[in-house]
Amino acid sequence: MEKIKQFLCQKNESANENRRRVGFFMIACSLVVFFACAIRISYVILAGRVAGVSLAERTEALYNGSQILYANRGEIFDRSGRPLVINGQQFDMIAVLSPDYTDGGEPLYLPQEDFPRAAAIISQHIDSTSEEIQAMLETGITEEGETLFQVELGSAAKALSQEQRNAIETELEAENIHGILFNPTNNRTYVNGSMAAHSLGYTTNQDGKVVGGGGLEKAYNDLLQGTDGQIVYERNAQGTPVPGTIETTRPMIHGENLTTTLSEPLQMQLETLLSRANETAQAENMTGVVMKADTGEILAMAQRPTFNPETMEGTEADNFVWRNLFVEEQYEPGSTMKIGTVATAIDNGSFDAAEVIPAGRIEVNGIEINDHDRGRKGPLTMRQAFSWSSNVGMVELFNKMGDDRWRESIGRLGFDKPINAGLPGEVVGSLPDDNLVDLAMSTYGQAVSVNQLQMLRMFSAIANEGIPVQPKIVVNEENTLENERMFSARASRQVLDYMRDVVEDEEYGTAYDLYHLDDENVSAKTGTAQIAAEDGSGYLRGANDYIYSVALIYPSDEPQYILYLTMKRPQNYSQNILPTIANPLMASSVQRSE
């Protein structure tokens, strides 16, 4: 019995000892935790950081806000101040769901019980059903029942017009529904749709900023876009600015406007005439440009196919190209090149208008060169060779000039130098290879490549007594080319006179009675250029695998305008197609005198 008592006493002492140990251990742990917390709190107080995040910065971010002030993009006008590209404003719609979004205790959020009514109203004004809108609103409530601050309402709720916003807000207000907000976004409005689309260009939206993507929008982006500003402010618990705390840290500078040389009425007429002509021709592409002969100011410039830079309608067409065909494409110009060849030959004494040549065919280093009629007209005078567009006549002039003299002369025409007309992406032409065949072919516009504005510059030298002007599309654009004399005044006047034969000579005019201007004479030169195969195997051989063109300088006596039209690979060719564009356009330009 005594042993049992002794055993129980020892066991009780052991239990008491264990309790004391546990007590000491818990006290020690508590002290460790306490001191750890104290050290941590002291560190936070002294260092002001938690998990690498600055408390001061976090507090500043919570109660201090900033906002970017987007500068208005400069607008684009025609030569008379008519707007061509303007700024508009659209809106992206969102729904604020957080109950914390209040003002003076008044709720400004959209509660879940109002989802169906809000969705029904919104669906009447955007391209989404009420079920789709409600489903998007429901994504703002998590599975745990937490509410997101806001949700977006899909692509159909973006880029809304002012009218859509007003209608939605009015109906929501009538139903006392809050929480639907509209964030403004800038957009570009192209007043006349696809008019001059490749010249004016288009814009893209990059991080809320409108940026030029082509044409003048791209070339003059730095001028048009301006400089964004910024404001900072203190905000309350709801995140709204506290009155009197807004401060500008970077001033906003709006973009500068751009005035073009284009004439809106003439441009619109060219667009209409090109569209009608292409309905008949069904060409791979067509172009037209009207330029003031004495200043180089481009009054109208258009191409087909085209597109709407606001909606991008037209870009899906199989034959659509983004390139501006006037500056971003090389081509062999064909017989319109003969204008420069004859003027050069006159200046170096190689051209005798009355000289008779046996037209039809000629050989250069064993390569046969033919006329378009294979010589059916019989012998031609040199003047007739020009108006009848004889390739053989031009090669005869080349033989008289000699390859060295022609090589030097064609270099002065500037086909290997950029025009810098104010449009981006210019691809300069190239001179013929240094062999007799290519040099001879270049006299009639093959084996030499150009861009269209380079051809305009050469035409302008004929119109201005031998001195070219630089084509341009922006008013007050600085001249970057030295307009050195290209031909003599005598040669230019003679060529203008010979160009009249093209439309006035019943027997030897390639465009006889096709181009007219009331009470005025017109100087013209037609062109039919072969198209080089992409694989380098020579030229395409299809029935209409040509670039058909005409250059018109008018009136002949005192040139004021230059009109240049091209039509590439039409499915339905007729020599009457280009005159349907040119004749009304010539009449309008002279009447407007712009």
Side-chain angles (χ1 to χ4, degrees):
M1 187 67 179
E2 188 64 30
K3 289 182 177 180
I4 292 173
K5 288 183 178 178
Q6 187 176 1
F7 173 76
L8 291 174
C9 287
Q10 290 176 349
K11 192 169 184 178
N12 287 336
E13 289 178 1
S14 177
N16 290 335
E17 181 64 25
N18 286 339
R19 281 194 291 272
R20 283 195 297 272
R21 289 177 179 174
V22 170
F24 282 128
F25 178 75
M26 292 181 66
I27 291 171
C29 287
S30 298
L31 289 173
V32 170
V33 171
F34 171 79
F35 283 115
C37 290
I39 292 171
R40 180 61 175 166
I41 291 171
S42 299
Y43 170 79
V44 169
I45 293 173
L46 293 174
R49 305 183 68 83
V50 176
V53 177
S54 169
L55 292 178
E57 292 177 1
R58 188 65 179 269
T59 301
E60 183 178 356
L62 185 62
Y63 292 103
N64 292 279
S66 66
Q67 181 180 347
I68 299 295
L69 302 177
Y70 292 107
N72 290 335
R73 191 171 179 83
E75 299 180 335
I76 303 177
F77 300 90
D78 88 333
R79 62 189 300 107
S80 298
R82 303 179 186 96
L84 302 178
V85 186
I86 61 176
N87 293 314
Q89 194 171 57
Q90 296 176 327
F91 302 90
D92 295 342
M93 182 168 52
I94 62 171
V96 176
L97 309 181
S98 172
D100 293 332
Y101 192 65
T102 62
D103 184 20
E106 291 294 323
L108 298 179
Y109 65 94
L110 179 67
Q112 190 170 7
E113 59 268 21
D114 284 345
F115 285 4
R117 290 195 299 148
I121 291 173
I122 294 170
S123 66
Q124 297 177 36
H125 302 280
I126 68 173
D127 190 20
S128 289
T129 65
S130 59
E131 291 78 13
E132 290 171 338
I133 296 170
Q134 184 163 345
M136 285 183 275
L137 290 170
E138 297 289 353
T139 62
I141 310 297
T142 67
E143 294 180 357
E144 292 77 20
E146 296 180 355
T147 302
L148 301 181
F149 182 79
Q150 69 182 45
V151 294
E152 295 186 354
L153 299 179
S155 59
K158 294 183 180 297
L160 302 182
S161 67
Q162 183 69 56
E163 291 75 15
Q164 287 174 297
R165 172 183 176 172
N166 292 343
I168 294 171
E169 286 184 327
T170 298
E171 294 186 30
L172 291 173
E173 185 177 348
E175 294 292 325
N176 198 31
I177 297 174
H178 304 287
I180 300 299
L181 303 182
F182 297 84
N183 293 326
T185 60
N186 289 328
N187 76 300
R188 293 291 263 179
T189 298
Y190 295 82
V191 177
N192 298 301
S194 61
M195 190 194 89
H198 283 85
S199 300
L200 296 176
Y202 60 95
T203 58
T204 59
N205 197 303
Q206 297 180 10
D207 300 324
K209 185 72 174 175
V210 178
V211 178
L216 295 177
E217 292 274 27
K218 179 178 181 179
Y220 291 87
N221 186 67
D222 291 344
L223 175 81
L224 291 165
Q225 71 178 356
T227 304
D228 291 338
Q230 185 180 36
I231 60 172
V232 296
Y233 51 83
E234 295 179 14
R235 53 188 177 187
N236 57 27
Q238 287 73 42
T240 57
V242 176
T245 65
I246 298 176
E247 179 182 349
T248 301
T249 59
R250 186 173 65 239
M252 174 179 61
I253 303 173
H254 293 308
E256 295 185 34
N257 295 332
L258 191 68
T259 300
T260 70
T261 62
L262 298 175
S263 163
E264 182 191 51
L266 208 59
Q267 179 75 38
M268 290 290 285
Q269 184 180 23
L270 172 60
E271 301 277 354
T272 301
L273 293 169
L274 266 182
S275 293
R276 289 175 183 170
N278 200 36
E279 287 177 6
T280 301
Q282 295 295 299
E284 181 177 313
N285 64 59
M286 294 186 72
T287 68
V289 55
V290 182
M291 185 180 81
K292 291 192 72 174
D294 60 341
T295 65
E297 294 172 303
I298 294 171
L299 302 178
M301 183 163 64
Q303 67 186 66
R304 291 293 179 275
T306 187
F307 71 107
N308 186 314
E310 195 168 341
T311 65
M312 292 300 161
E313 180 183 359
T315 59
E316 72 285 350
D318 292 338
N319 62 335
F320 176 77
V321 293
W322 287 103
R323 298 188 307 279
N324 184 319
L325 298 178
F326 294 93
V327 293
E328 295 183 73
E329 182 166 272
Q330 286 183 341
Y331 69 106
E332 296 185 13
S335 293
T336 50
M337 177 66 188
K338 294 170 182 174
I339 293 172
T341 302
V342 171
T344 298
I346 292 172
D347 277 336
N348 62 42
S350 302
F351 185 87
D352 179 355
E355 179 188 357
V356 178
I357 61 168
R361 63 179 297 277
I362 194 171
E363 283 193 6
V364 178
N365 268 14
I367 301 297
E368 185 175 291
I369 293 174
N370 296 294
D371 282 336
H372 62 91
D373 69 341
R374 302 286 176 170
R376 284 191 294 271
K377 281 287 187 185
L380 302 169
T381 67
M382 271 299 180
R383 179 166 180 165
Q384 291 166 346
F386 175 72
S387 63
W388 190 240
S389 206
S390 167
N391 293 340
V392 173
M394 299 305 109
V395 176
E396 290 282 12
L397 290 177
F398 169 73
N399 289 334
K400 288 188 174 184
M401 286 186 282
D403 55 323
D404 288 338
R405 189 181 292 179
W406 173 244
R407 189 184 295 109
E408 178 186 351
S409 298
I410 196 172
R412 287 201 302 270
L413 301 184
F415 296 139
D416 57 343
K417 299 177 178 62
I419 292 295
N420 298 321
L423 294 166
E426 181 177 2
V427 177
V428 300
S430 60
L431 301 178
D433 290 339
D434 197 14
N435 63 74
L436 285 179
V437 175
D438 281 357
L439 285 168
M441 291 175 63
S442 68
T443 62
Y444 57 87
Q446 303 285 172
V448 59
S449 66
V450 300
N451 69 46
Q452 291 202 32
L453 297 193
Q454 290 175 326
M455 291 297 286
L456 274 181
R457 183 170 183 265
M458 185 186 75
F459 302 151
S460 75
I462 298 297
N464 293 302
E465 297 194 338
I467 300 176
V469 295
Q470 180 180 2
K472 62 180 181 180
I473 196 171
V474 175
V475 170
N476 297 326
E477 180 67 19
E478 184 177 342
N479 189 358
T480 60
L481 292 177
E482 293 185 11
N483 291 328
E484 297 178 350
R485 179 173 293 281
M486 191 177 287
F487 313 114
S488 69
R490 180 179 67 90
S492 299
R493 287 193 294 268
Q494 281 187 236
V495 170
L496 270 177
D497 193 36
Y498 299 157
M499 289 174 69
R500 287 178 53 185
D501 295 348
V502 174
V503 292
E504 296 177 6
D505 190 323
E506 184 175 1
E507 183 68 20
Y508 296 102
T510 56
Y512 171 69
D513 204 32
L514 290 179
Y515 297 96
H516 308 279
L517 182 60
D518 289 347
D519 302 321
E520 297 287 357
N521 297 316
V522 174
S523 295
K525 184 68 192 79
T526 59
T528 305
Q530 290 182 285
I531 301 172
E534 292 183 0
D535 61 4
S537 60
Y539 291 100
L540 301 179
R541 298 294 181 182
N544 288 327
D545 282 337
Y546 298 94
I547 297 176
Y548 302 93
S549 63
V550 64
L552 296 151
I553 302 175
Y554 59 99
S556 299
D557 297 334
E558 295 183 9
Q560 298 176 41
Y561 302 98
I562 298 170
L563 170 58
Y564 186 40
L565 301 173
T566 73
M567 176 171 59
K568 182 178 181 181
R569 303 182 72 188
Q571 296 180 33
N572 307 302
Y573 170 72
S574 166
Q575 65 174 349
N576 295 311
I577 292 176
L578 295 183
T580 65
I581 304 171
N583 290 331
L585 209 56
M586 285 193 292
S588 294
S589 56
V590 170
Q591 290 168 6
R592 293 184 184 281
S593 298
E594 290 193 82

